[in-house]
Amino acid sequence: MNDVVIATIQNLLELHQLEEQLDRARTGKAEIQAKINLIREKLIPNILGHHDRMRARGRKSIAPVRNGVCAGCHMVVATGILATLRRQDDIQLCANCGRYLYIDETPPEPPAEAAVPAGEAPPKKARKKRVSKRIPVE
Ligand SMILES: [Zn+2]
C-alpha cells in the first residue's frame, strides 16, 4: 500500500466532484473554485496535467474498475494492472482510454438524496413591494 497513491485517487475523485459542481453551480462558484484550487495544489503536477488534458476533451481522468472492466471504456483491464491496483502500490492508467484507474468493489447503489428535500416550501409568488406613501411629518 502506498499512501500517495491512495491520496492521489481520493483527490482526483474529489476534484471531479467539485468540477461537476462548478459546472452546475449558479452561485457560490468562487467557493467551489477555492476548494478546487486546494486539491489541485495537493496533486502531483504531471497527474494534474493529464487530468486537465482529459478534461479539456470533455472526459473524466479517472474511472473505477468493476469486475475487471474499466468503467470508462468497458475494456477488460490486464491482470497485472489489476494486481497493482488491488495492492494500491502505484497509479495505473487504462491502456485503452488513458483514465486513471481505481478498484471499485462496492455494488452500485441507487442515488441517494436525489429527491426533493422534505419540507421544502413551494416557490413563493412574486409579491409587489409595498411602497409607503406616508410622508414623514416633521
Ligand atoms: Zn478505459
Side-chain angles (χ1 to χ4, degrees):
M1 250 214 259
N2 182 328
D3 289 343
V4 176
V5 172
I6 296 163
T8 300
I9 298 293
Q10 282 291 316
N11 287 332
L12 276 173
L13 287 171
E14 218 169 306
L15 185 57
H16 269 295
Q17 251 178 24
L18 288 167
E19 283 171 346
E20 272 171 32
Q21 263 182 40
L22 186 67
D23 288 344
R24 283 194 307 254
R26 299 214 186 110
T27 55
K29 278 181 184 257
E31 283 160 52
I32 300 169
Q33 189 60 56
K35 285 186 200 169
I36 286 176
N37 292 345
L38 279 177
I39 293 177
R40 292 180 67 90
E41 280 170 28
K42 289 191 243 171
L43 282 164
I44 299 159
N46 57 2
I47 288 181
L48 201 53
H50 185 74
H51 169 85
D52 287 342
R53 281 192 296 278
M54 295 289 274
R55 183 164 157 81
R57 279 183 264 160
R59 287 177 172 197
K60 288 195 166 197
S61 64
I62 188 162
V65 178
R66 294 193 186 102
N67 303 318
V69 174
C70 167
C73 64
H74 306 289
M75 293 293 282
V76 174
V77 177
T79 46
I81 291 177
L82 279 180
T84 308
L85 289 174
R86 287 221 165 83
R87 288 196 305 268
Q88 297 182 301
D89 270 352
D90 202 0
I91 304 272
Q92 295 288 324
L93 285 171
C94 173
N96 185 58
C97 69
R99 288 175 174 90
Y100 293 113
L101 296 172
Y102 68 100
I103 298 271
D104 181 12
E105 312 273 22
T106 53
E109 278 177 60
E113 295 163 82
V116 182
E120 205 192 34
K124 279 181 194 161
K125 277 180 197 159
R127 226 191 293 162
K128 270 186 195 168
K129 266 190 195 162
R130 223 189 289 170
V131 182
S132 171
K133 281 186 180 158
R134 247 186 332 145
I135 298 156
V137 187
E138 286 187 44

